[in-house]
Amino acid sequence: MDHPPLRPLWTREEIWQQVARRIGGTYHPGGFFEHERLVVPIPPWTVSLRLVTEDVRHLYTAATAPYLSEDGFTFTLQTIGSFEETGHLSLSEEIEIGEPRFDRRYRIAGHPAEQVRRLLTNDALRQYLDCESRIRLSATPVPHSRRRIDLTCTVVGAVAEPDRLQSLFELMGETLQHLCAIGSAEERTPDL
């Protein structure tokens, strides 16, 4: 009986290096005081992806990009049943965007609510979100900064598929571009 050829096993480091080469990023192996990360320029912003744990039981892949806010708009969107244990949303804050399938799948909060709806009118953005079964996308203010916001996309588990990693960077780029289009972000990188 013929067996299919074995697929080579790649380490996370090799996969992240492959993705970096494919999309013009840089792999940083980390060290004693620094996390392993994959950094990709999405001009004019920079997106940094790394693994994070919120406690010893939960491992996540998180991509973060700082940007300058035009209007103080913040939001959190997450798939229902994926992040409730972290308590990021309260029922009093929830927003519906008026699309039943989307509203059934995601818990959404943000201020102002109308800006959340404008952001989520982007079909490409919604398609990227739907590619992940357990995802959180949020824009949160950076402490002690008047206008800097961190856009963060978090998915459950350690993402090891190159196409899926690339898709997370594309989601971040689409979100940043649309934040500019709706007047909530400047099209320049903040001074860090």
Side-chain angles (χ1 to χ4, degrees):
M1 171 184 229
D2 290 344
H3 295 284
L6 291 176
R7 182 178 160 264
L9 297 176
W10 303 97
T11 65
R12 181 178 54 248
E13 178 179 351
E14 292 168 328
I15 291 167
W16 286 19
Q17 288 172 343
Q18 175 188 0
V19 171
R21 284 189 301 274
R22 182 194 298 182
I23 62 177
T26 307
Y27 170 76
H28 299 272
F32 191 68
F33 292 108
E34 191 175 280
H35 292 283
E36 171 186 41
R37 60 194 168 100
L38 176 55
V39 178
V40 175
I42 300 177
W45 307 281
T46 301
V47 179
S48 179
L49 182 135
R50 65 188 178 100
L51 296 180
V52 296
T53 56
E54 290 190 358
D55 58 43
V56 294
R57 297 177 307 146
H58 298 97
L59 177 66
Y60 303 99
T61 301
T64 302
Y67 68 91
L68 292 174
S69 173
E70 289 279 355
D71 58 4
F73 171 53
T74 60
F75 70 91
T76 299
L77 172 147
Q78 62 194 33
T79 49
I80 291 174
S82 296
F83 296 93
E84 272 67 16
E85 69 277 357
T86 61
H88 285 274
L89 293 175
S90 72
L91 290 175
S92 64
E93 300 173 325
E94 283 197 55
I95 298 167
E96 290 187 351
I97 65 164
E99 200 158 302
R101 187 197 60 77
F102 198 83
D103 290 335
R104 281 191 305 272
R105 182 158 191 234
Y106 298 100
R107 295 180 72 197
I108 307 164
H111 181 75
E114 188 51 43
Q115 200 69 334
V116 173
R117 290 182 188 96
R118 289 181 68 205
L119 175 69
L120 296 174
T121 61
N122 183 310
D123 290 333
L125 174 58
R126 289 198 317 263
Q127 287 174 358
Y128 281 119
L129 290 168
D130 284 343
C131 287
E132 290 295 330
S133 61
R134 298 183 295 170
I135 189 167
R136 178 186 329 149
L137 183 65
S138 62
T140 55
V142 173
H144 311 293
S145 176
R146 224 168 30 91
R147 296 181 52 224
R148 185 175 153 195
I149 302 284
D150 277 349
L151 177 66
T152 304
C153 175
T154 307
V155 296
V156 175
V159 176
E161 303 85 7
D163 291 341
R164 193 168 159 213
L165 286 166
Q166 183 173 340
S167 180
L168 292 176
F169 284 103
E170 291 168 356
L171 166 63
M172 292 292 285
E174 185 67 33
T175 305
L176 289 162
Q177 288 294 333
H178 200 58
L179 284 167
C180 288
I182 66 172
S184 288
E186 286 188 19
E187 199 161 339
R188 69 182 181 101
T189 189
D191 296 325
L192 301 177

